[in-house]
Each structure stands twice: as structure tokens, then as C-alpha cells.
Amino acid sequence: MNRVPPLFEEGTEGSDTRIRPGGKDVNRMSDDRFRGASVRNLPRPNKTYSAGRVCAESRCETKLSIYSKWQYCWQHEPVHSYVPRGKRKSRSRAA
């Protein structure tokens, strides 16, 4: 049966030891292990293109996003080949 640990454990009377909920001694930090991710660089900002661009198709007035590298809107853009991206399998597992 699962027992709920007491909220506070009592030390000896007159001691200077403070106890956290769950029974950990606050003064004994050397026994604690700290977890977390290491500090890393921020990811690169997204590439942007000039603002105010319009689709290159004649009579199309669709404004293009500053993040779109293409010169046509989604309706007039020719079909591109798909380039799969993501995690690559190691050569030892692929064979």
C-alpha cells in the first residue's frame, strides 16, 4: 500500500537543522544533485526577404510574405521536388 510521506519531519530539539517537506535537510546542499539543461546559443533567426513584394505572375496582386523566398504566390508557384529532412538512420542500422 502506498503511504503518503509526512509533510515535515522533526529534528532533535534545539538543533539548527531546517527540514523541507519530504524530509530533505536544507543545510546539506552538498548531497543534492542539480539537474537541468546546459546553456546553449539561441537558434538562428529566420531568414527574411524584402517587404512589399508581389507575385511575379502577370495580373496577380498577391503580396508575398517576408519569409517566403519564392517570387510567386502559392497559386502560381511551380511544383518543387520534395527534399526529406529529419533524423537520418545510421549506416549500421540501414544495412
Side-chain angles (χ1 to χ4, degrees):
M1 187 166 150
N2 293 337
R3 292 181 10 179
V4 178
L7 290 179
F8 295 97
E9 291 181 4
E10 303 214 8
T12 59
E13 188 122 356
S15 68
D16 193 27
T17 304
R18 293 181 289 168
I19 306 295
R20 271 194 274 190
K24 289 192 176 183
D25 184 358
V26 175
N27 294 331
R28 299 190 71 196
M29 294 298 283
S30 62
D31 292 342
D32 287 345
R33 305 271 183 214
F34 295 100
R35 293 188 200 180
S38 61
V39 177
R40 297 183 182 156
N41 293 335
L42 293 174
R44 290 188 325 212
N46 293 335
K47 187 171 184 179
T48 57
Y49 299 87
S50 59
R53 296 180 303 139
V54 179
C55 178
E57 184 71 24
S58 61
R59 294 184 294 181
C60 181
E61 298 177 4
T62 303
K63 291 179 85 175
L64 301 175
S65 169
I66 61 170
Y67 300 106
S68 174
K69 67 179 178 180
W70 312 114
Q71 59 183 349
Y72 293 100
C73 66
W74 67 273
Q75 291 178 323
H76 299 113
E77 185 65 36
V79 177
H80 295 280
S81 60
Y82 174 71
V83 178
R85 304 218 187 262
K87 189 173 183 179
R88 296 182 182 166
K89 294 180 182 177
S90 66
R91 291 182 187 226
S92 62
R93 293 188 80 187

